[in-house]
Amino acid sequence: MVEKKDGIKTESSAEKTEDNEKAIAYKQNKQLQWIFFLMIGVALILLIVPYITVHFFNTFEYGKLEFQKTKLGDLVFYSTKFPVMSLTGAVVRDYAVNFRNDPRGLDYIPVNVLNNTIQFVREGNKFSPVYITLNPYMKMCEDSVISMAGLSKFLGDSGLTIKSAYSDETYAKNNNATFRWCDSSQFDTVIVITDGKETSITEIDPHCYKIQFKDCEILQASEKFQLKILGDYAETLKR
């Protein structure tokens, strides 16, 4: 309703109130729209950022295998998965392995093996036992147990029969244990674990490998050995 005052048309208080209410409602609708779009944006960020982080920043290829970096509490793992095949070439199952060290950070460890491949003794359609031979006088480190447990599990899960032994014959005899060295058996694979002046992997005799570590780099050395086996295996899958 428009009122006349001194010949001038003016809006009534009711019309002013209505206009104010419309302006407030329009402003609220705009705010709700912004909130709505903001919520959608936040939701997309929450969904997309983890995907990008996992699939672009935390994944990488190493040795023909794809690795993913994951964090569990304070622990960081580098995981990969590959198909396990039987001696006949059939895929049996998938196998996942987790490393504590970034594979790319272990390139400093030299690997000197015949034909650049780690091979295990085979008898017909099965592999001979693999002896993990410890130097009983080597330095014990914080990661010694986890390193040997991880190596044994990895080899065992790969279908190999794992046995423990010592590299010192007298020590083994006195402790009612098994002695195994490179020349003590021609029908087994022997993996010697010892400390030394450098961290390295060397084939010291056919099917006899020495994993040597310095400064308690036993976990790094054992994981490098596993990575070498995985790399060789992945190479055969690519053929």
Side-chain angles (χ1 to χ4, degrees):
M1 178 177 179
V2 178
E3 297 178 350
K4 289 185 178 181
K5 186 176 181 181
D6 298 329
I8 301 175
K9 294 181 179 180
T10 60
E11 290 184 335
S12 66
S13 59
E15 290 176 329
K16 289 182 179 180
T17 301
E18 183 179 355
D19 290 340
N20 290 335
E21 289 177 349
K22 288 181 178 180
I24 294 172
Y26 177 79
K27 186 176 181 180
Q28 288 178 340
N29 287 335
K30 282 293 186 181
Q31 290 177 339
L32 289 174
Q33 288 179 2
W34 277 110
I35 293 173
F36 175 74
F37 288 120
L38 181 62
M39 290 176 64
I40 291 179
V42 171
L44 288 174
I45 291 173
L46 293 175
L47 291 173
I48 293 175
V49 169
Y51 179 86
I52 294 176
T53 301
V54 170
H55 293 278
F56 292 94
F57 294 103
N58 283 344
T59 60
F60 58 91
E61 186 175 296
Y62 181 88
K64 306 294 183 180
L65 293 168
E66 185 176 277
F67 285 83
Q68 180 173 315
K69 178 182 176 181
T70 56
K71 191 172 183 181
L72 184 61
D74 294 331
L75 299 177
V76 177
F77 295 95
Y78 299 86
S79 310
T80 187
K81 185 171 65 174
F82 58 92
V84 177
M85 303 179 69
S86 66
L87 294 175
T88 60
V91 177
V92 179
R93 58 188 170 85
D94 285 336
Y95 179 72
V97 59
N98 302 309
F99 294 100
R100 295 292 300 276
N101 293 283
D102 188 332
R104 299 166 296 186
L106 300 179
D107 284 340
Y108 72 95
I109 301 177
V111 179
N112 300 305
V113 295
L114 185 64
N115 297 324
N116 198 33
T117 304
I118 294 174
Q119 297 181 333
F120 298 90
V121 178
R122 181 186 297 183
E123 294 181 12
N125 291 328
K126 65 177 182 178
F127 290 99
S128 298
V130 177
Y131 284 87
I132 296 181
T133 299
L134 303 179
N135 172 8
Y137 306 110
M138 69 181 180
K139 182 178 181 180
M140 293 302 297
C141 304
E142 182 180 355
D143 294 329
S144 293
V145 174
I146 188 175
S147 300
M148 293 303 97
L151 178 61
S152 299
K153 184 179 186 305
F154 172 80
L155 295 175
D157 288 345
S158 300
L160 300 169
T161 300
I162 309 302
K163 296 186 179 182
S164 60
Y166 289 102
S167 59
D168 186 277
E169 188 171 9
T170 301
Y171 181 92
K173 183 177 180 180
N174 292 338
N175 289 273
N176 195 28
T178 302
F179 165 73
R180 269 295 187 279
W181 186 249
C182 298
D183 57 357
S184 62
S185 175
Q186 299 179 355
F187 307 103
D188 302 319
T189 301
V190 178
I191 302 173
V192 179
I193 312 294
T194 186
D195 53 0
K197 294 182 179 180
E198 70 168 354
T199 301
S200 61
I201 296 168
T202 310
E203 185 170 0
I204 51 182
D205 262 334
H207 304 108
C208 184
Y209 304 94
K210 180 172 68 173
I211 299 178
Q212 180 175 275
F213 64 92
K214 73 170 185 177
D215 300 331
C216 280
E217 292 182 332
I218 186 170
L219 183 59
Q220 290 88 335
S222 64
E223 290 192 346
K224 180 67 174 183
F225 187 80
Q226 296 171 58
L227 285 166
K228 176 58 180 171
I229 296 173
L230 282 179
D232 296 342
Y233 182 72
E235 192 65 37
T236 62
L237 296 178
K238 297 289 184 179
R239 294 172 186 172

